[in-house]
Amino acid sequence: MAVGPTTRRRQLGADLRRLRELKGLTLEDAGARVGISKATLSRYETKEGTVKWPTVDALCREYGATDEERSALIELAKGAKIQGWWRSLADPIPESMNLMLTLEDEVTREDHYACMYVPGLLQTRAYAEAVHRASEVHCDEREVQHMVDIRMKRQELLDRDEAPHIWCVIDEAAIRRRVGGPEVMREQLTHLIHTAQRPHVTVQVLPFERGAHAAAVGSFAILRGQSPELDVVYVDLLGGGLFMEKPEELERYRLAFQYLSAQALDLESSAELINRVSKE
C-alpha cells in the first residue's frame, strides 16, 4: 500500500521524538537550539499539523542524525501535506470525523468491536440513515444526508486495489436491534452476510451466551498503520469520539480485541446466526 501524507506525518513525528530522546534533550532545549518554542516542537512530535522542512533539517543536525536519516525525514516533511477527498466537501464535518477520514485513508487494517450498531463500513444506506436520525436528534434532514453520504464514501476503501483488512466482532445485540424497521434490518443483515464473503472482510458475532466480556464499556476500532507505533484507537462517545495512541492504551485495546475475537463465534457459525436472525 502506498504511504500517504498522514502516515508520512505520523512517521515523521515519531522519528523526531525518537532522535531527540536518544540525544537526551528536552523539548525546551532542543527547540531553543533551532529557534522554535517548546510548544512548536511538541506539535512537530505529536504527528499533527504542518511542518517546515528546513526546521526538520536543523533538528536532525542538532540530534546528530546520519545524512541518510536526515534526507529521509526531510522527504517525509515535504510530503506531509494532507489533502483528502473530504477536504473539498461543501458542508463542514465534525473534527473527529475529519481525523477518522484522514487516518482511514491510509490504514492497512481495521479491527472493530461493535456493541450497538453494525460498523459504519458495513452499513447499508437505509440503515445508516436510521442510525443518524436516532443519534443526531437535533440535525435536520440535509445534515443527516450529508453525514450518510460521507459514510457511503468511506466504504469505497473496501474496493481499493490494496484494500485494508476489515475485521469486525459484532455483539449479538447489534444484529438483533431493529434499526429502521424490519425491512431495513433484513436488508442490512443480508448485506452483512454478503460483505463478509469478501476475502479482506472478517465478521464474527459475539453471542449473548458468552455473558460478560472484556469490552463491556462500548464500541471501539483499532486503526492500524504501516507499523505498530502508527496505530490509533477510536472509541465511540456520545456526540463524537475519542482517539488514543499511547502505547499502554493501544496494548489494552489490542488485547481486548484478541479476547473478543477468541470469545466470538467462528466465521461459519457467525454467518449462520446472522442469517437466522434475518429470517426471524
Side-chain angles (χ1 to χ4, degrees):
M1 178 176 290
V3 179
T6 307
T7 297
R8 288 195 291 268
R9 179 64 184 88
R10 290 169 56 74
Q11 187 66 62
L12 174 63
D15 287 344
L16 286 175
R17 179 175 182 176
R18 174 180 57 81
L19 288 171
R20 178 179 59 78
E21 291 177 342
L22 284 173
K23 190 69 172 177
L25 295 172
T26 64
L27 283 168
E28 190 170 12
D29 290 341
R33 291 191 181 194
V34 298
I36 61 175
S37 68
K38 174 183 176 181
T40 298
L41 181 52
S42 177
R43 179 175 57 77
Y44 271 50
E45 293 185 7
T46 55
K47 312 163 194 174
E48 295 179 21
T50 58
V51 294
K52 296 178 180 179
W53 73 261
T55 302
V56 172
D57 182 25
L59 287 168
C60 287
R61 293 178 188 278
E62 289 294 335
Y63 296 157
T66 65
D67 288 343
E68 184 179 358
E69 284 178 318
R70 183 166 56 86
S71 177
L73 291 187
I74 288 172
E75 287 306 306
L76 284 175
K78 289 179 177 179
K81 187 177 181 181
I82 300 170
Q83 291 180 325
W85 56 263
W86 58 94
R87 300 278 172 169
S88 63
L89 293 174
D91 293 328
I93 59 176
E95 187 57 35
S96 61
M97 177 58 67
N98 192 348
L99 182 54
M100 169 66 82
L101 294 172
T102 301
L103 295 170
E104 203 166 58
D105 206 36
E106 295 161 22
V107 294
T108 59
R109 171 174 161 170
E110 293 189 25
D111 295 338
H112 291 258
Y113 169 64
C115 64
M116 180 69 70
Y117 302 121
V118 171
L121 289 175
L122 307 184
Q123 292 179 4
T124 64
R125 186 175 188 94
Y127 183 95
E129 288 174 350
V131 168
H132 276 288
R133 289 190 185 107
S135 303
E136 308 292 342
V137 293
H138 298 298
C139 288
D140 60 28
E141 188 60 21
R142 181 173 178 272
E143 292 174 298
V144 168
Q145 292 304 321
H146 174 56
M147 296 306 296
V148 172
D149 285 343
I150 293 173
R151 180 159 296 183
M152 296 299 103
K153 183 71 175 178
R154 277 179 61 207
Q155 294 180 5
E156 291 182 8
L157 69 81
L158 298 175
D159 298 317
R160 289 179 189 164
D161 290 338
E162 297 180 61
H165 191 144
I166 309 299
W167 193 314
C168 300
V169 175
I170 305 174
D171 194 279
E172 185 175 346
I175 67 170
R176 288 191 177 278
R177 180 170 288 103
R178 288 197 172 183
V179 175
E183 288 303 316
V184 169
M185 199 63 206
R186 188 174 297 112
E187 178 193 34
Q188 174 60 70
L189 294 179
T190 300
H191 176 71
L192 188 58
I193 293 169
H194 290 161
T195 306
Q197 295 172 0
R198 304 181 71 162
H200 56 284
V201 177
T202 300
V203 173
Q204 293 181 273
V205 176
L206 185 65
F208 288 145
E209 65 193 42
R210 294 291 191 262
H213 54 74
V217 292
S219 302
F220 66 88
I222 305 173
L223 308 176
R224 298 182 182 266
Q226 299 280 336
S227 54
E229 67 266 21
L230 297 180
D231 291 357
V232 178
V233 172
Y234 174 80
V235 179
D236 268 339
L237 297 173
L238 184 64
L242 176 66
F243 291 88
M244 297 182 288
E245 56 180 343
K246 292 181 180 178
E248 60 272 21
E249 294 168 339
L250 289 169
E251 187 61 21
R252 187 181 308 123
Y253 278 93
R254 289 187 189 115
L255 288 173
F257 188 80
Q258 290 173 12
Y259 173 84
L260 290 163
S261 179
Q263 290 293 303
L265 299 173
D266 61 33
L267 306 188
E268 183 177 353
S269 299
S270 295
E272 289 174 354
L273 178 56
I274 295 170
N275 187 54
R276 187 163 68 250
V277 172
S278 71
K279 296 177 179 178
E280 290 178 356

